[in-house]
Amino acid sequence: MKKFHVIFSLVLALMLALTGCVSSTNNNGNTASPNNEGNNEEATNEQESGEVNVYTSRHYEADQMLYKKFEEETGIKVNVVEGKGEELMERLNREGDATNADVFITADAGNLHQAKEAELLQVVESDVLAENIPEKLRDVDNQWFGLTKRARVIVYDKERVSPEELSTYEALTEPEWKDRVVVRSSENMYNMSLLASFIDIMGRDQAKEWAQGIADNMARDPEGGDRDQAKAVVAGEADVAIMNTYYIGVMLNGADEEEKKVAENVGVFFPNQETTGTHINISGAGVTKHAKNQENAIKFIEFLSGEEAQGQFAEANSEYPVNENVEPSELLKSWGEFKEQDINLSVLGENQQDAIRIFNEVGWK
Ligand code: FE
């Protein structure tokens, strides 16, 4: 009886073991079919060869569409983390070499310079990027690359101001413009970069004089973003605003009827055409210092600098392409061609601290 019991137990154990075997075979077999286990397996493969992780402060639909295109063309999966430029830089810093991020994208050469100074980026040698992106729109050490270009211009009320009255940024400091100018706060990086460019072009003393003159001619204390400056002009609070071109495009093409009207009622004027050129800035990208998917990261930035992506940036977001083989959108063309400041955008970051000091000295809030 005992013997039978032992045999029975052995048979039972064997059966259980076999069932285990069968079920594990089943699991293996299932990896080919699209259940959870299969997806996990795919995810692991992606981590090994086929993904790129992007930290970006740009939050436009056009960008999402481009990432999808890149995925289709290359099979490389694009994982995106969106956030404010500063927050993402803090995060990169905190994560150190444990970071997942391969690419950092943000607006303003000043921000990109900060990322470089904080040693968050690495040097990238790429013939494609060197060919697609003009030298002055790239970091001198090839740590960041401009992807879109924006001009910081004078926007005026079409009814009260004639473009013949306008000429240069400097002319807005004349007494005739007293209480007629609006521009956002000096805490905004676009303004830091604008002043940084003037420090490079005209020297510190004259740049400070300019900032003082604008602060003196302001129609109100700075408030709101670039769009709010155009709104103040159309509302009659001021006659001219200093702001970025693409916001006019964004307002014209957007769903907000009121903003559309504002954009239709202002003119775009490119200052300093007879002298030093209109101030331009960029949004751009770099490969993070601790990128795990370095090759894919470079491929990704190369793709964004290519003709297809550049055309879409211009069309969907009213930004100027950096790639000179690509034509700007019809709207951008309607504003006309213009002469740009002839400086390497690296100086925008290099002069940033000095620009902040000047703003404080002259009381530009
Ligand atoms: Fe902006």
Side-chain angles (χ1 to χ4, degrees):
M1 215 35 189
K2 239 182 186 172
K3 213 173 185 180
F4 176 77
H5 214 100
V6 169
I7 289 168
F8 180 77
S9 298
L10 275 172
V11 170
L12 196 72
L14 194 70
M15 273 173 73
L16 280 171
L18 273 172
T19 320
C21 267
V22 169
S23 82
S24 85
T25 307
N26 259 347
N27 276 347
N28 282 341
N30 276 347
T31 51
S33 66
N35 68 357
N36 283 339
E37 186 121 341
N39 284 342
N40 285 341
E41 186 103 340
E42 269 172 40
T44 314
N45 287 342
E46 263 160 19
Q47 261 159 21
E48 278 161 12
S49 62
E51 70 174 355
V52 62
N53 298 299
V54 181
Y55 283 10
T56 178
S57 74
R58 289 173 56 95
H59 42 261
Y60 308 113
E61 221 170 290
D63 294 37
Q64 300 292 342
M65 280 157 64
L66 285 173
Y67 302 163
K68 208 165 259 169
K69 265 253 161 72
F70 176 77
E71 286 182 341
E72 282 164 16
E73 282 181 25
T74 63
I76 298 167
K77 175 107 175 44
V78 182
N79 304 312
V80 180
V81 172
E82 285 185 4
K84 288 197 169 144
E86 258 170 63
E87 288 165 9
L88 293 174
M89 276 194 264
E90 250 169 55
R91 180 165 168 178
L92 279 170
N93 209 14
R94 201 172 53 238
E95 291 171 340
D97 58 9
T99 190
N100 275 330
D102 303 305
V103 175
F104 175 57
I105 300 178
T106 192
D108 206 296
N111 264 326
L112 290 160
H113 177 82
Q114 276 186 3
K116 177 189 175 185
E117 289 289 286
E119 295 183 7
L120 300 175
L121 304 176
Q122 61 171 278
V123 175
V124 169
E125 299 299 343
S126 155
D127 292 342
V128 177
L129 293 178
E131 168 125 8
N132 286 350
I133 305 170
E135 199 179 341
K136 70 173 189 177
L137 305 180
R138 288 184 256 134
D139 172 44
V140 286
D141 299 317
N142 287 324
Q143 291 200 25
W144 52 258
F145 301 85
L147 291 175
T148 68
K149 210 163 58 173
R150 47 280 289 280
R152 199 150 182 79
V153 297
I154 300 173
V155 159
Y156 59 94
D157 184 277
K158 278 189 201 163
E159 278 172 25
R160 297 192 305 277
V161 177
S162 136
E164 280 81 57
E165 296 171 65
L166 300 167
S167 57
T168 61
Y169 298 105
E170 296 91 308
L172 294 183
T173 66
E174 298 293 330
E176 62 179 290
W177 292 101
K178 181 94 185 134
D179 298 331
R180 297 172 69 193
V181 182
V182 276
V183 58
R184 69 201 285 182
S185 155
S186 62
E187 282 170 20
N188 170 255
M189 197 168 283
Y190 299 151
N191 284 338
M192 294 178 199
S193 289
L194 178 66
L195 188 54
S197 76
F198 291 163
I199 293 171
D200 188 71
I201 290 169
M202 49 177 102
R204 190 184 198 275
D205 290 347
Q206 266 183 279
K208 184 178 170 180
E209 246 172 64
W210 176 80
Q212 183 72 66
I214 295 293
D216 290 346
N217 280 350
M218 284 183 191
R220 63 173 189 193
D221 281 346
E223 61 175 71
D226 273 11
R227 278 179 240 215
D228 297 305
Q229 313 312 314
K231 287 176 191 173
V233 165
V234 172
E237 268 189 82
D239 292 325
V240 294
I242 300 171
M243 61 178 283
N244 285 352
T245 41
Y246 66 93
Y247 286 109
I248 302 295
V250 168
M251 288 197 286
L252 276 177
N253 299 325
D256 187 323
E257 286 303 317
E258 208 183 310
E259 287 197 344
K260 208 172 268 188
K261 255 193 201 140
V262 167
E264 282 164 1
N265 280 302
V266 292
V268 169
F269 184 85
F270 294 99
N272 297 53
Q273 292 305 285
E274 310 294 323
T275 60
T276 49
T278 294
H279 173 69
I280 55 152
N281 204 331
I282 50 158
S283 70
V287 176
T288 63
K289 188 176 180 192
H290 300 290
K292 315 289 185 293
N293 303 289
Q294 192 194 25
E295 250 175 66
N296 290 349
I298 296 171
K299 254 188 226 166
F300 179 72
I301 300 174
E302 287 176 346
F303 170 82
L304 294 178
S305 74
E307 293 187 18
E308 186 185 6
Q310 288 287 304
Q312 187 154 332
F313 279 135
E315 200 59 53
N317 219 31
S318 297
E319 294 176 274
Y320 290 94
V322 295
N323 186 323
E324 286 165 350
N325 294 328
V326 177
E327 291 215 1
S329 66
E330 288 307 313
L331 174 68
L332 298 184
K333 276 197 234 167
S334 76
W335 293 336
E337 287 186 11
F338 66 98
K339 175 182 165 183
E340 300 171 0
Q341 284 178 341
D342 189 24
I343 55 173
N344 186 296
L345 294 202
S346 294
V347 306
L348 304 188
E350 286 160 15
N351 291 338
Q352 190 180 73
Q353 289 308 312
D354 207 16
I356 293 170
R357 274 192 295 272
I358 291 176
F359 280 133
N360 288 331
E361 286 164 18
V362 304
W364 181 323
K365 288 182 189 169

